[in-house]
Amino acid sequence: MNIATLIPTPDAIPVHWGWLRFFQIVTFFIHLLFMNIVLGSSLIALLEVCGNHRGKGTGVRDFERDIFQKLPFVIAFAVNAGVAPLLFLQVLYGNLIYPSSILMGVYWLSVIGVLIVAYYSAYLMKYKFDALGRFSHFLIGLIPLLFLYIAFVFVNNMTLMQRPSAWIAYFTNAGGTLLNLRDPILWPRFVHFVTASVAVAGLFMAAVRSTGKPTGEAGAAGHVDRGMRYYILATGTQMIVGVWFLVKLPTPVRGLIMGGDPYFAGLLLVGICGGLGGIYLALKRRVWPTIWLTLVVTAAMVLLRDLIRAAYLQPYHEMKVIPVQPQYGPMIVFIVSLISGAAVIGYMLRLAFRSKEERMDPAP
Amino acid sequence: MNSIWLIHYPVWDLGALGGGFLIALMATVHVYVSHFAVGGGLFLVLTERKAVRENSWALLAYVHRHSRFFLLLTMVFGALTGVGIWFTISLLNPTATSKLIHIFVFAFATEWVFFLCEIISLFIYYYTFDSMERGRHMRIGWLYALFAFLSLFIINGIIAFMLTPGKWLVTQNFWHGFFNPTFWPALFFRTFMALMLAGIFGLVTAVFTREEALQEILMRYCAKWVLFPFLLLMVAAYGYIAVLPEPQTAVIFDRSPEIRPFLTLFAAIGALLFIVGCLMMARPFSIRRKRIIAFGLLIAGFFFMGSFEWIREAGRRPYILYGVTYSNSVSAQDMEKVAQQGILASTRWTQRRTIGKDNQMAVGRDLFRLMCSGCHSIGGPLQDIKALTRTLPVAGMAAMLDGMGKVNDYMPPFPGTEEEKQALAIYIVEELNQVIDRETPVIAPAQRPFEQPLFHDATDGYVLLAWSDQGMQLLSDADCFFSLTSPGLDIHAQLVRRGEAPEIVSDGVDMTYRIEAGFETPARQVDYWRFAKTLVGKEVAPNMGAAGKSVTDRMEFMEENLSFIARKVPVVPYTSADEFQPYPLIAVEARDRSSGNLLAATKFTAAVSTEMGCRHCHGGPWRVQQTAGISDPTARDILTVHDRINRTDLAVRAGDGAPRSCRECHPSREDDPGKPEGINLSAAIHGFHANYMTGRGADACVLCHPASSEGFTRGFRGIHHTLGLDCTNCHARMEDHAIGLLVTELNAAKKGASRLMKNLTPKMTDDMNKIAARKPWVNEPDCLNCHQEFQPPDVDQVELNQWTKSEEQLFRRRTDEVGLRCPACHGITHAVYPAENIFGHNRDTVQPVQYQGEAYPIGANRNCKTCHTVDMTEEIHHPNMLGMFRNTQ
C-alpha cells in the first residue's frame, strides 16, 4: 500500500501559512512553559515527599503546600495556552493529527477525563492540604502520575502524526487503542520532556520565592535553593537524555541536526550551550539570569522541534502546498482582540495588585 | 481538488459507543455548564451589586460562596469539557471538524483570547472578593460577564453556521458564514438560556444558605432569574424558528422522527420550568421542598438545554455542516462523484477495493464503519442500527440504502455502487442482526383439474363469453392492519346467439355465476369483513362484496357495456381448507328466463393473488404456506414505516382494532370515498417505492406484484409472457411509471408529490418535464400502441406517454366494431390467449378450448364459425381479423 494514499488532502487556509506557523510556535512556547511547570512541580512534590519519608527533607511540607497553592492556577493557564497551539496545529497539520488521534482515540480522548481528575485533585490539595492527612500523599502520588500519562499520550500523538508509515496498523485495529510504541524516539522524547519539566518547574519554584519576598518569608531561601537544585539535576540529566534522543532520531533527520543544516545545528548548539550556561548560573544561585537563559533555550528547542517535524514529514506534507483562500480580516480581528485582551488583563492585574497592597476593608 | 480520493479520514470503530454517543455525552454536559458560565457571570456581579445596595453582608457572603462553586464548576469541568468537545468532534468527524477549523481558525483564536480573559478575571474576582474595593471588584465582575458573553458570541456564530451557513455557501466569505441567518436569534436564545440557567444554579447554592430569611429572598430572586429570561427565551425561540430556512424547518418539525420526542420534551420542560418558577414566586416552601425544587430544576434545566441542542444538531440532517459536509463525512460537492466512483474507490482508508463473494462481509463491515457509524451504534444507546433494521431482510436493507437521502432526506444519500449496497446490506442483516434471509423455495403448485365445459358445434345455439376485469388482481389480506383493496372483482359476460349474423343477446336471459367449490366462504379466510366498519366505514355482510354481490349470484345486463356484469364479487385466493389458490374458477350460466332452460355455460379464472412481496423489504414471513399473504410482522412494519415518515398513527389504530383503508387518505379511483387532497394510492405507492428501487427493470415490479416467473402465482401468463416480454414493455420502468402518476398529483398541488418526485430520474427521457401526467386506471398501456391498426407490432416497448387517453380506451372496456368486448375473445390482461397457467394447462383458456378446441383467441385462425356458423371473408370485428395466429404453440 502506498502510504501517501492515507494522508488526507489538506483543507484551504485563510492566510499565508507563515502566519499560522508563527502563531503556532509562539503559543506553543507559552503552553510549554506552563505545562512544564504543571508536570514538573507535581513531580517535584512527589520527589519531595519521597525524600521526606527517607528522613532527608526538612520543611518539605511548606514546599509542597507552596506547590499546590499555585498548581491550579498554572493548570488553568497551561490548558488555556494549550488550546491555541493545538488550534493552529490542526490548521497546518490537521490532515496528519486527525488520523493519528483517531488511531489512538481511546487514549487521546481519555486525556480530558484524566485532566479533570488531576485538576480537581489539585484544587483539593490547594483547599484541603492539611485536612486531607495521609490522603494527601495518595494525591501527591496520583497527580504527577496523571500528568505523566497525559504527557505520554501527547508524545505518542505528536510522534505518530509524523510517522504515517505506522498508520497501517489501523487496518488490524480500528478501535482507537494504538500507540506509537515502536517509534524509536518515543521514549527518549518523552523522557526529554519530563526531564525538562522538572528543570523548568524547579526554576519556577525558585523564581516565585525570589520575587520581592525572599528575605521576609520563612524558608524562602530554602525554597529557592531546592528549586535551583532540581533545575541543575534535571538539566544535567538532560545532557544525557538529549544524546539518547539524538541517537534515536532517523539518520536523515539526525544528519540535519549534526551539521547538515545550519539552522538545525545552530538551534541544538544554543540548546546545549544554554543548558550548560544555565547549570553554571544556577550553581551561582543567580535565579533570574538562569530563567532568561532557559527561556532562550526553550525557544530554541521549540523551533528545533518544529523543524524536526517538518523534516519528518517532508516526503508527505509541505505547508507551502496547502491551498490558500485569502481572507485576512478575521486575523486582524484576532490580533486586535489579542492586544485589547492583553490591555484589559493588564488593567485587571493592576487592580488586583493594587488591592493587595491597599488591603481594603471588605465591608460592603 | 482533482483527486479520486474523496473520503479522507479513518473512522474510529466504536461499536456500541458509536452513533454520536461520545459527542452527545460531552456536548450536553459542556453546553449546560458553559451557558451557566455565561449567565452566571452576570448573576454574580448583579447579585453583588444588590448586596452592596441593600448593605447585606449575608447576601455578599452568599455571592462569595456561589463564586467559589462557580469557579470550580466552570473553570475546571466547563473549560475541560469544552476542550473535550473539540477532541471528540475531531475524532468522530475529522472531515467536518477540519472544515470548521479552517474556515473559523481566527474566530476560534479570538474566542481563545476571551477565554484567557475570562480565566484571569474570574481568578481575580474570586480571590480578591474580600480584599478589593467593592467598586473595583464589581468592575472585574462586569469584565468577566463581558468576556463570557463574548465567548458565547463567537462560538454561537460558529455553531449557528453549522445549521444555517447562509450566503457563505455561495461566497465562502467568513463574515457571511459567521453572521449567518440564525446568528442573532440563536445569540438571543442562548443568552436568555444562560441567564435562566444562572438562576437555576443560583438556586442550588441558595438552598444551602443557613439563614432562612436570606434563603427566602434568594428563592424569589432566583425564581425571577428563571422566569423572566424564560419568557424572553420563548420569544427568541419563535424568532429562531421564523428565520430557519425551509429544509431545516421541514427536517425539525416534519421529517425527522427522531426529533419529535425532543420537541415534546423541550415544550414540556419549558412549561414545567415556568410553572415551578411561578410557584416559587408565589409561596414559601419548606427547606426540604426547596432542595427538591432546586435539584429538580437543575435536572429539568439539563434536559431542557439538552433537548434544544439535540433538536438543533438533528436539524442539520442530513448534513453535519449544512450544505457543506454530510453526516457520513462526504463533502456535499463530492457526493455525486463518490456515487459515480463508488465508496471503496473514493476512500483512502480501506484496503479492500473490490468486492467478491469471499470478502463481501468484510467489505460490508468497512462500509458500515465508513458510512454509517458516525450516526449509528451497534447495539448501543444511540441510533442502534440493529434495533432500527431488525425487521429488514437483505433486499429490504439494500432498498433502504437505495432510498436514503430521498424520501427520508434527513439521512444522507448512500453513495455506494449496487455491489457496495448489497455488501453493506448483507453485513447489517446477516452479521449484525444474525438474520439469514433465505427465500423459501417456492412450492410447485398442484395441478387442479377441472371439468372442461363442453360445446356442441352442431346443436348449441349460444356462445357464452365471460371474464373478470383484472387479469391479476392484487389483494392485501392484512385487514387487521390495513387494506389496500377490498376483496372484489367485477365479472362480465356476453352471450352471443349463433348464426350467420350472430347477435349479442340480453333480453329474456338470466345470467348467473357460481364460484368454484371451496371458495364460497371468503369471510372465513380473510379479516376484511371483521374490520369493514373501520376499513370502509360500514358493516359488510359476511361473504358479500361491497356492491352487494356474493360469490354465487346473478349478473345484470348493462346496456352501456353491452354485457352482463356483477360488481365487486368477493373472490379471495384461499380455499376453505386454508389453501392458497390464486385462480379459482367461476362458472357462468345463461338461462332462458321464461323456461329456465340452459342456453350456455362456461367458466373462467378469477385471478386474485395475495402473493404481495412486501416482506421482501419489510421483513416477516409469508402469511400462508410460506408462499403468499401479508403476515402480521410484515404489516406491522409497513405501518411503522408509514407512521414514522408521515407522522401518522396507523399502527396504534390497528393495535386498537381500528385499521384503516389506505384509500381513505389515498383515493385511487374517482369513486373512492376518501380525502381528495391525498395523493392517489397508485402514485403514493409507486412514487414512494420508486425511490428505493432505482435503476431496476421488471425485477422491481415483481418484488411486490405476483408476476415473478419464479413465484407461486406467476400472474403474468399470457402470450406476451411466452414471447419474453416483461412488465416494463407495457408499463415502462418503475421511475417512469411513478413520475407520470406523480405529475398528476403535482399538477393538482397535492402535498408530498414533489417530495416523492424530486429524487426520481426518468429512464425514457432525460427531461423530467417531458413526462406527461397520467391517472391510474385511466391512462394505462394501450394495446394499439404496438399493435397499430391491429397489425403485428414493429416494436415491443411502450414509448413516452403512450397511454390510453380515457377509460373507454382500456382493453377491458373497449369493444370491436360489433360490440364484443376485447377480453371476451382475447382473454383478460396479463393472460391474453393463449395463456399458460401453471395450475393447469387450460385453466386460463377454458373458453377458446371449449368453443374452438384450441387456446387461441375466439375467432382466431379463421374460426369464424364459432359464432357465425359459416366462414367469413370480411374483417367486421377489427382489421387483421382474418390473419392466421402467428405465435402458435
Side-chain angles (χ1 to χ4, degrees):
Chain A
M1 180 172 217
N2 180 4
I3 296 300
T5 301
L6 298 178
I7 300 174
T9 311
D11 284 316
I13 49 178
V15 295
H16 186 275
W17 58 267
W19 283 103
L20 297 162
R21 195 176 192 185
F22 168 75
F23 291 131
Q24 198 257 326
I25 289 171
V26 170
T27 52
F28 179 70
F29 170 74
I30 298 166
H31 167 65
L32 193 62
L33 292 175
F34 284 115
M35 185 267 281
N36 276 339
I37 295 168
V38 169
L39 175 61
S41 57
S42 66
L43 279 169
I44 288 172
L46 177 64
L47 292 171
E48 287 294 311
V49 168
C50 294
N52 193 27
H53 283 177
R54 291 201 303 273
K56 292 175 187 169
T58 49
V60 171
R61 200 75 183 151
D62 281 346
F63 193 70
E64 290 165 31
R65 183 184 289 108
D66 214 32
I67 286 173
F68 287 106
Q69 279 304 312
K70 292 171 184 61
L71 194 58
F73 295 109
V74 190
I75 295 173
F77 293 116
V79 170
N80 176 266
V83 168
L86 193 57
L87 170 69
F88 294 117
L89 182 80
Q90 289 185 33
V91 180
L92 290 172
Y93 296 103
N95 55 336
L96 301 156
I97 186 79
Y98 292 144
S100 62
S101 301
I102 290 165
L103 264 54
M104 50 180 292
V106 170
Y107 305 106
W108 187 238
L109 195 56
S110 71
V111 161
I112 302 299
V114 170
L115 192 50
I116 288 174
V117 174
Y119 204 162
Y120 274 124
S121 302
Y123 262 115
L124 199 59
M125 289 294 282
K126 176 179 169 68
Y127 289 132
K128 304 281 181 188
F129 187 80
D130 292 318
L132 285 172
R134 293 190 66 81
F135 186 65
S136 69
H137 287 171
F138 167 75
L139 290 181
I140 289 171
L142 177 70
I143 292 169
L145 211 62
L146 297 178
F147 285 127
L148 279 174
Y149 170 80
I150 294 167
F152 184 68
V153 171
F154 266 83
V155 170
N156 262 280
N157 203 354
M158 296 302 133
T159 51
L160 188 58
M161 70 166 271
Q162 63 192 28
R163 215 173 136 241
S165 58
W167 294 358
I168 207 153
Y170 170 82
F171 295 112
T172 50
N173 177 3
T177 53
L178 292 167
L179 285 171
N180 193 29
L181 299 175
R182 291 191 178 172
D183 189 341
I185 68 158
L186 179 79
W187 288 106
R189 184 169 165 149
F190 176 64
V191 176
H192 178 65
F193 273 82
V194 173
T195 311
S197 75
V198 174
V200 172
L203 209 49
F204 173 73
M205 301 312 296
V208 168
R209 285 307 176 125
S210 63
T211 310
K213 54 178 178 180
T215 49
E217 218 166 306
H223 287 193
V224 171
D225 202 45
R226 228 181 234 118
M228 294 307 274
R229 220 166 45 222
Y230 278 111
Y231 172 79
I232 294 163
L233 280 171
T235 309
T237 310
Q238 197 68 286
M239 296 297 155
I240 301 158
V241 176
V243 173
W244 180 30
F245 190 5
L246 192 63
V247 170
K248 291 291 179 182
L249 282 169
T251 313
V253 179
R254 192 172 60 243
L256 292 169
I257 298 171
M258 299 301 287
D261 185 300
Y263 291 114
F264 284 73
L267 289 168
L268 179 67
L269 205 61
V270 171
I272 294 168
C273 295
L276 292 171
I279 291 171
Y280 172 76
L281 290 169
L283 286 168
K284 299 273 185 188
R285 293 298 184 264
R286 297 184 62 189
V287 177
W288 282 98
T290 315
I291 288 170
W292 294 122
L293 194 57
T294 303
L295 289 176
V296 172
V297 171
T298 309
M301 289 298 103
V302 168
L303 289 171
L304 184 57
R305 173 182 178 271
D306 191 64
L307 289 175
I308 289 174
R309 173 155 56 204
Y312 257 90
L313 291 171
Q314 211 276 327
Y316 306 115
H317 181 86
E318 280 191 90
M319 276 181 266
K320 63 184 176 199
V321 299
I322 300 175
V324 182
Q325 286 179 354
Q327 283 192 63
Y328 280 83
M331 186 176 79
I332 293 166
V333 171
F334 162 61
I335 293 170
V336 169
S337 61
L338 188 62
I339 294 166
S340 316
V344 175
I345 288 169
Y347 168 71
M348 291 192 294
L349 289 175
R350 199 156 59 87
L351 287 184
F353 286 121
R354 197 191 295 171
S355 76
K356 207 170 181 182
E357 287 159 11
E358 292 170 1
R359 288 286 171 196
M360 292 292 294
D361 188 337
Chain B
M1 191 62 61
N2 186 21
S3 163
I4 63 161
W5 307 117
L6 303 169
I7 301 169
H8 297 283
Y9 287 93
V11 178
W12 183 9
D13 194 349
L14 282 161
L17 292 182
F21 176 78
L22 294 177
I23 188 64
L25 185 70
M26 192 72 82
T28 42
V29 292
H30 170 72
V31 164
Y32 199 44
V33 174
S34 63
H35 279 73
F36 167 51
V38 174
L42 206 59
F43 180 87
L44 283 174
V45 70
L46 285 176
T47 315
E48 183 183 1
R49 193 176 68 166
K50 179 180 164 69
V52 172
R53 283 183 175 173
E54 294 171 6
N55 202 18
S56 169
W57 277 92
L59 187 55
L60 202 60
Y62 161 78
V63 177
H64 194 186
R65 277 199 309 278
H66 188 65
S67 64
R68 179 165 166 165
F69 163 75
F70 183 83
L71 173 83
L72 287 174
L73 183 61
T74 64
M75 191 78 90
V76 182
F77 191 78
L80 291 180
T81 48
V83 179
I85 288 184
W86 197 27
F87 270 49
T88 312
I89 60 170
S90 66
L91 290 171
L92 299 186
N93 199 320
T95 306
T97 307
S98 175
K99 199 84 192 163
L100 212 54
I101 293 278
H102 282 78
I103 297 168
F104 291 111
V105 51
F106 288 108
F108 281 113
T110 306
E111 198 274 333
W112 164 71
V113 174
F114 297 146
F115 176 36
L116 177 64
C117 294
E118 274 182 72
I119 292 173
I120 293 173
S121 54
L122 188 57
F123 275 145
I124 295 174
Y125 185 84
Y126 174 69
Y127 287 103
T128 64
F129 199 93
D130 288 334
S131 59
M132 192 181 274
E133 188 272 327
R134 202 44 65 192
R136 289 180 195 162
H137 188 258
M138 282 195 284
R139 227 176 291 160
I140 298 288
W142 283 112
L143 283 171
Y144 171 80
L146 171 70
F147 287 119
F149 175 76
L150 286 174
S151 283
L152 174 69
F153 188 89
I154 301 284
I155 295 299
N156 174 65
I158 298 169
I159 293 174
F161 166 85
M162 294 171 81
L163 178 65
T164 53
K167 276 201 289 183
W168 182 91
L169 289 172
V170 179
T171 64
Q172 315 270 295
N173 181 302
F174 172 92
W175 301 109
H176 289 157
F178 188 80
F179 292 108
N180 57 76
T182 55
F183 177 87
W184 292 108
L187 184 66
F188 283 115
F189 184 92
R190 289 182 181 282
T191 304
F192 297 134
M193 177 74 86
L195 296 177
M196 202 180 86
L197 297 187
I200 292 177
F201 276 93
L203 208 58
V204 169
T205 47
V207 293
F208 291 98
T209 305
R210 289 201 181 95
E211 287 177 56
E212 207 171 312
L214 177 64
Q215 216 176 60
E216 266 320 306
I217 292 168
L218 281 171
M219 284 294 282
R220 283 160 203 263
Y221 177 70
C222 293
K224 282 183 199 165
W225 277 82
V226 175
L227 271 183
F228 294 118
F230 173 78
L231 295 173
L232 293 168
L233 181 139
M234 286 293 118
V235 177
Y238 179 77
Y240 205 154
I241 294 165
V243 300
L244 271 181
E246 194 279 328
Q248 287 90 325
T249 311
V251 165
I252 292 172
F253 296 102
D254 190 24
R255 302 282 166 75
S256 176
E258 287 82 17
I259 295 180
R260 278 171 226 156
F262 291 95
L263 281 169
T264 312
L265 190 68
F266 183 77
I269 297 178
L272 178 81
L273 289 171
F274 183 74
I275 293 165
V276 174
C278 290
L279 282 176
M280 282 159 53
M281 294 282 286
R283 51 166 287 196
F285 290 97
S286 69
I287 180 65
R288 190 168 160 270
R289 285 196 176 158
K290 277 180 196 154
R291 287 184 180 171
I292 291 171
I293 288 172
F295 283 94
L297 286 181
L298 189 68
I299 294 166
F302 177 78
F303 284 103
F304 189 60
M305 181 90 225
S307 56
F308 159 70
E309 294 294 347
W310 185 280
I311 293 164
R312 184 191 52 76
E313 295 263 329
R316 296 195 303 245
R317 291 175 186 175
Y319 299 98
I320 193 155
L321 300 180
Y322 206 95
V324 182
T325 309
Y326 282 101
S327 48
N328 58 12
S329 292
V330 178
S331 161
Q333 65 179 14
D334 294 337
M335 183 55 93
E336 206 171 309
K337 198 170 171 193
V338 175
Q340 285 165 6
Q341 293 181 174
I343 296 165
L344 297 181
S346 307
T347 300
R348 290 179 180 276
W349 285 78
T350 183
Q351 284 188 313
R352 301 178 183 92
R353 306 245 171 241
T354 54
I355 306 177
K357 280 280 172 208
D358 55 327
N359 72 348
Q360 207 173 25
M361 197 65 85
V363 168
R365 194 177 303 120
D366 284 358
L367 290 169
F368 180 84
R369 192 191 298 151
L370 283 164
M371 291 288 116
C372 314
S373 67
C375 299
H376 291 285
S377 68
I378 300 176
L382 284 189
Q383 306 289 354
D384 176 16
I385 192 71
K386 288 164 74 174
L388 289 166
T389 60
R390 67 175 184 278
T391 58
L392 293 177
V394 171
M397 191 63 235
M400 173 72 91
L401 294 171
D402 194 2
M404 270 174 50
K406 295 176 183 173
V407 180
N408 288 339
D409 52 8
Y410 55 89
M411 286 176 83
F414 178 76
T417 61
E418 288 306 314
E419 293 76 21
E420 288 169 347
K421 280 177 199 156
Q422 192 65 18
L424 177 56
I426 288 174
Y427 168 70
I428 292 172
V429 173
E430 296 190 357
E431 183 161 313
L432 296 185
N433 286 335
Q434 292 288 305
V435 173
I436 307 302
D437 174 45
R438 292 196 182 92
E439 191 67 37
T440 317
V442 173
I443 306 155
Q447 298 286 302
R448 291 180 67 88
F450 64 94
E451 194 180 335
Q452 171 72 39
L454 300 176
F455 177 70
H456 301 287
D457 185 41
T459 56
D460 286 350
Y462 293 87
V463 168
L464 178 58
L465 301 168
W467 66 95
S468 66
D469 69 340
Q470 289 179 56
M472 193 170 62
Q473 192 188 47
L474 190 55
L475 180 69
S476 63
D477 60 348
D479 298 288
C480 58
F481 289 90
F482 60 85
S483 170
L484 275 173
T485 50
S486 304
L489 270 179
D490 288 359
I491 62 175
H492 303 251
Q494 286 187 310
L495 182 66
V496 179
R497 183 186 292 127
R498 300 179 75 208
E500 282 190 32
E503 61 177 320
I504 299 169
V505 292
S506 58
D507 288 344
V509 175
D510 273 347
M511 192 72 75
T512 58
Y513 63 90
R514 189 180 67 255
I515 195 126
E516 184 179 342
F519 292 87
E520 300 94 336
T521 53
R524 284 195 203 157
Q525 311 309 321
V526 298
D527 288 330
Y528 167 76
W529 284 270
R530 223 176 108 204
F531 295 102
K533 179 79 177 162
T534 60
L535 290 175
V536 293
K538 61 180 180 186
E539 297 287 358
V540 179
N543 304 322
M544 297 296 281
K549 289 293 177 191
S550 176
V551 284
T552 299
D553 218 320
R554 290 169 57 82
M555 301 170 80
E556 280 77 40
F557 189 76
M558 302 283 175
E559 196 64 46
E560 68 273 21
N561 298 96
L562 285 178
S563 56
F564 290 87
I565 298 178
R567 297 211 184 274
K568 301 187 188 301
V569 177
V571 182
V572 301
Y574 300 113
T575 67
S576 50
D578 293 332
E579 186 190 2
F580 174 62
Q581 216 292 50
Y583 298 105
L585 285 169
I586 291 185
V588 183
E589 287 182 356
R591 289 182 184 274
D592 182 85
R593 189 172 296 150
S594 53
S595 65
N597 291 338
L598 182 68
L599 302 177
T602 192
K603 292 177 181 173
F604 67 92
T605 53
V608 176
S609 178
T610 52
E611 190 189 344
M612 215 168 159
C614 311
R615 63 168 295 276
H616 293 309
C617 294
H618 290 278
W622 290 110
R623 194 165 81 89
V624 292
Q625 289 175 236
Q626 300 181 347
T627 305
I630 302 172
S631 65
D632 288 2
T634 308
R636 195 174 293 115
D637 189 70
I638 290 169
L639 292 190
T640 306
V641 171
H642 189 284
D643 288 346
R644 192 178 69 223
I645 293 173
N646 300 289
R647 311 189 79 163
T648 50
D649 59 350
L650 298 173
V652 173
R653 288 174 184 232
D656 292 342
R660 317 304 297 188
S661 164
C662 304
R663 290 163 192 258
E664 187 178 325
C665 293
H666 301 286
S668 188
R669 303 196 199 202
E670 299 285 331
D671 58 345
D672 267 341
K675 299 170 186 168
E677 67 272 17
I679 299 179
N680 76 60
L681 185 62
S682 192
I685 287 212
H686 289 105
F688 176 79
H689 289 103
N691 282 282
Y692 294 86
M693 298 178 190
T694 52
R696 298 198 188 193
D699 57 322
C701 312
V702 301
L703 264 177
C704 308
H705 292 269
S708 168
S709 55
E710 288 156 14
F712 189 79
T713 305
R714 304 193 193 183
F716 185 32
R717 57 208 187 279
I719 182 65
H720 292 125
H721 174 253
T722 312
L723 293 174
L725 304 190
D726 65 31
C727 315
T728 63
N729 290 92
C730 299
H731 294 274
R733 288 165 72 177
M734 183 79 165
E735 289 92 333
D736 299 318
H737 182 75
I739 292 169
L741 292 166
L742 286 167
V743 170
T744 304
E745 309 303 282
L746 195 67
N747 292 345
K750 291 192 181 174
K751 193 181 168 215
S754 64
R755 181 183 175 192
L756 295 179
M757 258 181 87
K758 70 177 181 188
N759 289 296
L760 297 181
T761 309
K763 302 296 171 192
M764 296 174 90
T765 170
D766 292 334
D767 185 357
M768 177 83 99
N769 297 321
K770 285 186 180 166
I771 296 188
R774 57 175 281 252
K775 286 185 176 176
W777 308 105
V778 174
N779 308 119
E780 296 290 334
D782 187 343
C783 308
L784 298 182
N785 283 335
C786 295
H787 294 276
Q788 290 188 5
E789 296 296 315
F790 298 90
Q791 299 302 317
D794 295 326
V795 294
D796 60 3
Q797 178 64 49
V798 64
E799 291 181 13
L800 191 63
N801 303 325
Q802 278 187 338
W803 313 114
T804 52
K805 302 286 183 289
S806 64
E807 279 190 271
E808 282 62 43
Q809 290 184 3
L810 291 172
F811 175 77
R812 65 168 180 269
R813 296 281 292 269
R814 188 176 255 160
T815 63
D816 63 5
E817 296 297 324
V818 300
L820 278 173
R821 306 270 299 282
C822 298
C825 298
H826 290 276
I828 191 59
T829 49
H830 303 113
V832 289
Y833 304 141
E836 192 64 37
N837 189 310
I838 58 168
F839 289 81
H841 181 54
N842 286 330
R843 203 170 183 86
D844 273 315
T845 53
V846 173
Q847 292 161 43
V849 170
Q850 177 186 0
Y851 297 121
Q852 302 174 157
E854 59 185 24
Y856 305 126
I858 303 295
N861 290 341
R862 297 181 186 161
N863 265 314
C864 306
K865 283 181 180 172
T866 304
C867 295
H868 288 269
T869 62
V870 293
D871 288 331
M872 300 295 289
T873 54
E874 286 181 57
E875 294 180 327
I876 59 166
H877 293 280
H878 59 70
N880 196 28
M881 176 73 200
L882 295 177
M884 296 301 285
F885 198 77
R886 288 170 297 119
N887 301 301
T888 53
Q889 294 181 329

